[in-house]
Amino acid sequence: MSVKRTVALHIRLKRHADGSASLTCTRRDGSVTWQRLHGPTALVMPIHDLTHFAVETALGFRQGFYGLLADGWEITDFAKPWPRGPIPDEALVVELIVGFFDAERRQGEAMTAEAFAAQAAQYVASREAVGKTIPAGRRQLTDSELGRVRAKRDELLARWAAVPAGGDLDLEFV
């Protein structure tokens, strides 16, 4: 017996011939949110967005970036002037995790779960030291969970690297 999967969001990353990239997300109801990226942002953000997909799907987050887009948020809701108000705690936790994976990738060295937790504790302490709130719902990730995210991210990044100018990469957020 197969389990029916409901696609909440169809995600398309496009590599344009002019060096720009675009992210287009189509919701179950057919509505769309999209963004075109130019210059250095076109090189960095697709990788960041694919890391979001890996984190959210491998760890089962439903209210991260893609979950909120599926629920009707616009891509522009994630930046000033914050038209939807504060980003929900789960999305902040996802952003923190994605940020650590982005840093890890740039440094070229995988962190253990223990090192990951130490980095998170240092980040939390620095935010608390300046009176900033800390999102609820944080949890310590295991080495197995980190491995699942890395495997998914690496597969997605390889697929993106193979996309020619004018081509696209399609994903489904279930």
Side-chain angles (χ1 to χ4, degrees), residues 142-162:
T142 66
D143 285 317
S144 175
E145 288 173 318
L146 295 176
R148 282 198 318 268
V149 172
R150 285 186 194 106
K152 184 67 177 173
R153 178 204 57 198
D154 293 350
E155 177 242 327
L156 291 169
L157 295 183
R159 286 175 60 193
W160 176 241

Side-chain angles (χ1 to χ4, degrees), residues 8-167:
L9 195 68
H10 177 86
I11 301 161
R12 173 168 286 154
L13 274 168
K14 183 165 188 70
R15 187 184 306 275
H16 298 277
D18 66 1
S20 66
S22 59
L23 171 65
T24 303
C25 298
T26 306
R27 299 178 191 93
R28 194 178 4 234
D29 66 5
S31 62
V32 175
T33 184
W34 68 280
Q35 176 181 56
R36 186 132 181 193
L37 308 160
H38 300 275
T41 306
L43 298 174
V44 174
M45 287 309 292
I47 294 168
H48 178 80
D49 293 340
L50 290 170
T51 303
H52 260 282
F53 187 85
V55 167
E56 292 177 41
T57 58
L59 300 179
F61 286 109
R62 293 295 162 243
Q63 289 297 298
F65 179 67
Y66 289 113
L68 292 173
L69 292 178
D71 286 346
W73 283 52
E74 299 295 325
I75 292 172
T76 55
D77 291 337
F78 292 89
K80 288 181 181 180
W82 310 104
R84 292 237 181 196
I87 294 175
D89 280 352
E90 184 172 302
L92 293 172
V93 169
V94 168
E95 196 62 50
L96 175 66
I97 294 169
V98 169
F100 287 147
F101 275 109
D102 284 346
E104 176 185 271
R105 186 184 46 72
R106 285 189 305 273
Q107 294 165 359
E109 188 175 327
M111 287 188 269
T112 64
E114 185 178 332
F116 214 88
Q119 288 283 338
Q122 185 177 27
Y123 172 79
V124 166
S126 70
R127 301 246 330 151
E128 288 174 333
V130 293
K132 297 203 175 179
T133 59
I134 305 304
R138 294 180 327 276
R139 63 183 170 101
Q140 186 164 339
L141 301 175
T142 66
D143 285 317
S144 175
E145 288 173 318
L146 295 176
R148 282 198 318 268
V149 172
R150 285 186 194 106
K152 184 67 177 173
R153 178 204 57 198
D154 293 350
E155 177 242 327
L156 291 169
L157 295 183
R159 286 175 60 193
W160 176 241
V163 171

